[in-house]
Amino acid sequence: MAKMGVIGDKDSVMLFKAVGLDVFFETEGDKANRRLHRLAREGYAVVFVTEPLYEACAETIAEYAAEAYPAIIPIPDNQGVQGIGMQALKQNVEKAVGVDILFNN
């Protein structure tokens, strides 16, 4: 079974422990960057990152964007949705398909 983890503040990610994910409490971008590199080296297939840390780790996430693993996925924190996850999805769909098929009005 592939390893899956989640990085974020304690209040936002503690629940993921109950469903079997490895949970890592980080609130600072530099520490979260180091954690992402470590998890990639350890063979994690999926790493969920709270939206505030996802923004703070943009450079590190870009390094892994062309790789199959780890898939780094933004999730809302306990403060609510900031739209970062939807924007990342939109960009990935545009890259794959060539046009905006999700939000094209």
Side-chain angles (χ1 to χ4, degrees):
M1 181 181 239
K3 292 197 267 184
M4 295 174 51
V6 61
I7 302 172
D9 62 279
K10 188 175 183 177
D11 291 338
S12 298
V13 301
M14 183 57 95
L15 184 62
F16 288 91
K17 193 173 190 99
V19 295
L21 273 67
D22 296 333
V23 175
F24 304 96
F25 305 123
E26 301 292 353
T27 56
E28 298 175 24
D30 290 340
K31 290 181 181 181
N33 279 318
R34 288 193 296 272
R35 177 72 66 184
L36 279 171
H37 286 300
R38 190 172 314 128
L39 296 180
R41 281 193 311 270
E42 293 175 3
Y44 277 75
V46 178
V47 179
F48 296 97
V49 180
T50 57
E51 287 182 330
L53 287 178
Y54 191 88
E55 276 188 316
C57 298
E59 277 187 35
T60 300
I61 292 166
E63 290 177 33
Y64 295 107
E67 304 293 325
Y69 300 105
I72 303 171
I73 301 169
I75 58 171
D77 66 356
N78 64 351
Q79 301 300 311
V81 177
Q82 298 176 356
I84 296 166
M86 191 56 70
Q87 183 63 30
L89 175 65
K90 180 180 184 285
Q91 289 172 345
N92 286 329
V93 169
E94 282 183 36
K95 185 167 78 174
V97 179
V99 294
D100 180 8
I101 63 171
L102 296 178
F103 303 102
N104 193 1
N105 294 328

